[in-house]
Amino acid sequence: MATEKEQNQVRIQLTTSQLDIALPEKTGPILVNTNFRRYALSSLVNTILGNEKPVPLDFLINGTFVRSSLDDYLTQHGISPETTIYLEYVKAAVPPVHLASFEHDDWVSSVDVLSETSAAGTLGREPDLQKPGHESILSASYDGLLRVWNMSSQVMAISPSAENGGHVSSIKATKFISSSQIASSGTDRTVRVWKYRATSDDSPPSINPHIELYGHKASVDALAVHQPSSRILSASADHSAGVWSMRKSDAPAAPESCLPSNLTRSVKRRKIGPSVSTVQRGPLAWLKSHSAPVSSVIFAPTDPTIAYSASWDHTLKTWDLPTSTPVDTRSTSHSLLSLVALPTLNLVAAGTSARHITLIDPRASATSIVAMTLRGHTNAVVSLAIDPNSTYSLASGSHDGTCRVWDVRSTKTEKEGRVGQSMYSIGRESVGGESRVSGDGVKVFGIVWDADVGIVSAGEDKRVQINRGKNIGLNSQK
């Protein structure tokens, strides 16, 4: 008969893929008390490694973080304590800390980053991007202007005003296409492509109009760009998504009914100054199937001929872009407001009006629509960004005035099943991180996560805010 001491112990096998904290190869199973929690397990590993300065660690069983005692975890998941438990350990994440805030004159709707590791940065030839601290931040504001900032919070370039070829009302979305091009869209119903020139020896940085794209009949609230195919996707309150070309030669003429009212039917260019004019073009195709405003649209990460769109009509649609045809529709219980793909997990995360994030399997072979729900926000989730260093992590921006960091392996059990819980909540520095359930005055409108810069968010407090952590969502499989 087993003794009481044996009944309160379990045999564990410790493993890791992070070579700098790996145990000696011949380390076998270890018998530990079932009341061990993360701190005790971390102390055990650090003792075996002989670390003078302990390294904080997190532990996973079957790909899920252990947030309780081993006994509670085994009981909740129906795992027998008589078997050897394989515990994977990784370096614990360091919470994101505030680095800087860039103040604007009006609400900041959208933000993007140009760095050595960003998608746009890898497409350019800017030598300064190789230097730490030389990254650029792009912001879009309700004052109708784009701004490019350096990491010292200085404005390097501003887009022209409406009188000089800029947006004529609030900008809702912006993206770096490459190190020399920018896309934007707004409540003036246009999508615009801009030439961006960084600092050179003989001229200051500049943002200059390149192409104006017309066709939408309401505010254009979200964009996706794919530079290799020269395609832009737009999501609009007119219930449609648009497909556009970044190249003048590929794009058809702009629909005359959508051109600014002060133009005659024969005018194809809008005069900006004494020697500058902007080409006006129309869409390559429309993606029409939603019955309510389209809130977000993204390219499939592994196939740019496939797109996903989210709508207030509660659906996620999959599109075949060459034929502009919806090939699949996933219906949910709430309005969908934002999208980001988790490619390795074959999931799409959708922020909802119901304050949570729904993880959806968009594949036609999927037997269930919702793979998991992430709960924690207290208002609508309007922006999402994937962790550039992890398979499992993402960040969200909400109208509750916070950004949250999630790892899909961090879960808890509720009556409805397994739900995800956030690892960290990031408040707005403009109010000292104060929590506001409704988010009055501090709503977050946009978020991006860059490997070099960190988590960059934009909000109602008229600020771009930068936070940076360490080891967040660190891949255990790499």
Side-chain angles (χ1 to χ4, degrees):
M1 179 180 294
T3 66
E4 182 179 347
K5 181 176 180 180
E6 290 172 333
Q7 290 175 339
N8 292 331
Q9 291 183 320
V10 64
R11 194 178 302 275
I12 63 171
Q13 179 69 59
L14 295 162
T15 65
T16 186
S17 59
Q18 298 172 20
L19 299 180
D20 56 332
I21 55 171
L23 297 177
E25 289 186 12
K26 295 183 180 180
T27 303
I30 302 170
L31 201 63
V32 301
N33 290 333
T34 55
N35 63 3
F36 267 32
R37 293 176 176 266
R38 186 182 70 84
Y39 181 79
L41 292 167
S42 187
S43 297
L44 172 63
V45 174
N46 276 282
T47 298
I48 297 173
L49 291 173
N51 291 333
E52 294 184 7
K53 184 179 180 180
V55 177
L57 302 171
D58 271 321
F59 295 82
L60 304 97
I61 298 177
N62 294 333
T64 301
F65 280 110
V66 178
R67 300 302 189 196
S68 62
S69 68
L70 289 175
D71 185 52
D72 289 344
Y73 185 93
L74 297 178
T75 300
Q76 290 176 5
H77 292 80
I79 301 174
S80 171
E82 297 180 1
T83 61
T84 298
I85 307 302
Y86 285 84
L87 269 175
E88 183 179 9
Y89 62 94
V90 295
K91 293 177 184 176
V94 176
V97 297
H98 177 255
L99 292 185
S101 292
F102 304 164
E103 296 189 21
H104 293 62
D105 297 327
D106 207 337
W107 295 355
V108 188
S109 56
S110 182
V111 69
D112 201 8
V113 174
L114 180 65
S115 72
E116 182 184 3
T117 56
S118 68
T122 60
L123 298 171
R125 302 274 184 193
E126 295 297 330
D128 280 349
L129 290 180
Q130 310 296 322
K131 306 172 186 176
H134 283 253
E135 302 84 7
S136 298
I137 308 294
L138 170 65
S139 63
S141 175
Y142 273 65
D143 64 8
L145 299 176
L146 299 170
R147 293 172 175 84
V148 176
W149 307 71
N150 64 20
M151 293 302 293
S152 298
S153 72
Q154 297 173 312
V155 178
M156 305 301 291
I158 302 178
S159 63
S161 64
E163 294 76 14
N164 293 300
H167 282 280
V168 299
S169 58
S170 300
I171 304 176
K172 298 297 293 293
T174 190
K175 299 277 188 185
F176 275 115
I177 297 171
S178 68
S179 61
S180 60
Q181 281 190 309
I182 291 170
S184 65
S185 66
T187 57
D188 62 5
R189 307 180 181 185
T190 66
V191 177
R192 297 171 186 248
V193 179
W194 308 80
K195 287 290 188 181
Y196 172 62
R197 184 176 59 193
T199 304
S200 63
D201 294 335
D202 55 356
S203 61
S206 62
I207 303 172
N208 296 307
H210 182 53
I211 308 175
E212 294 176 352
L213 300 169
Y214 290 89
H216 279 299
K217 297 180 180 180
S219 177
V220 187
D221 299 327
L223 293 173
V225 298
H226 186 257
Q227 198 275 343
S229 63
S230 298
R231 295 294 182 261
I232 299 173
L233 300 177
S234 59
S236 173
D238 65 9
H239 302 190
S240 74
V243 184
W244 314 81
S245 175
M246 306 172 191
R247 293 196 295 253
K248 300 174 185 178
S249 58
D250 290 349
E256 293 183 354
S257 61
C258 296
L259 293 175
S261 58
N262 63 332
L263 296 182
T264 65
R265 301 180 73 84
S266 62
V267 174
K268 301 301 181 183
R269 294 171 182 260
R270 177 157 66 94
K271 289 293 182 180
I272 294 173
S275 60
V276 180
S277 61
T278 304
V279 172
Q280 297 169 335
R281 292 289 186 265
L284 294 172
W286 291 116
L287 308 180
K288 294 186 176 182
S289 180
H290 287 291
S291 60
V294 181
S295 54
S296 187
V297 62
I298 59 175
F299 288 96
T302 57
D303 185 353
T305 67
I306 299 295
Y308 303 114
S309 62
S311 171
W312 292 16
D313 66 9
H314 302 189
T315 67
L316 170 76
K317 290 184 181 289
T318 302
W319 298 85
D320 176 65
L321 293 180
T323 61
S324 307
T325 304
V327 294
D328 187 76
T329 298
R330 300 283 154 143
S331 297
T332 68
S333 302
H334 307 283
S335 295
L336 304 182
L337 307 179
S338 51
L339 285 179
V340 74
L342 305 174
T344 305
L345 303 179
N346 295 313
L347 297 174
V348 172
T352 74
S353 61
R355 308 179 299 279
H356 61 255
I357 299 166
T358 300
L359 301 186
I360 301 171
D361 189 337
R363 294 174 297 176
S365 60
T367 56
S368 62
I369 296 175
V370 178
M372 187 188 296
T373 300
L374 311 180
R375 298 189 183 277
H377 281 297
T378 58
N379 208 331
V381 183
V382 297
S383 187
L384 296 169
I386 192 171
D387 181 347
N389 295 317
S390 173
T391 296
Y392 307 99
S393 297
L394 65 154
S396 57
S398 168
H399 281 179
D400 65 11
T402 69
C403 298
R404 288 181 179 259
V405 178
W406 311 82
D407 187 308
V408 299
R409 300 169 298 180
S410 180
T411 63
K412 60 182 177 180
T413 302
E414 295 186 351
K415 60 181 180 180
E416 62 191 75
R418 190 165 62 104
V419 300
Q421 56 183 346
S422 64
M423 299 177 67
Y424 304 108
S425 178
I426 304 170
R428 301 306 286 175
E429 196 67 21
S430 59
V431 292
E434 172 190 336
S435 175
R436 298 181 179 181
V437 174
S438 64
D440 289 344
V442 291
K443 292 180 177 66
V444 176
F445 297 138
I447 191 170
V448 64
W449 195 339
D450 182 76
D452 296 325
V453 176
I455 297 171
V456 186
S457 55
E460 188 183 19
D461 59 0
K462 306 179 183 179
R463 286 170 169 82
V464 167
Q465 179 171 311
I466 303 175
N467 293 80
R468 187 184 298 165
K470 188 179 180 182
N471 298 332
I472 297 174
L474 198 63
N475 274 339
S476 58
Q477 293 181 347
K478 288 187 175 180

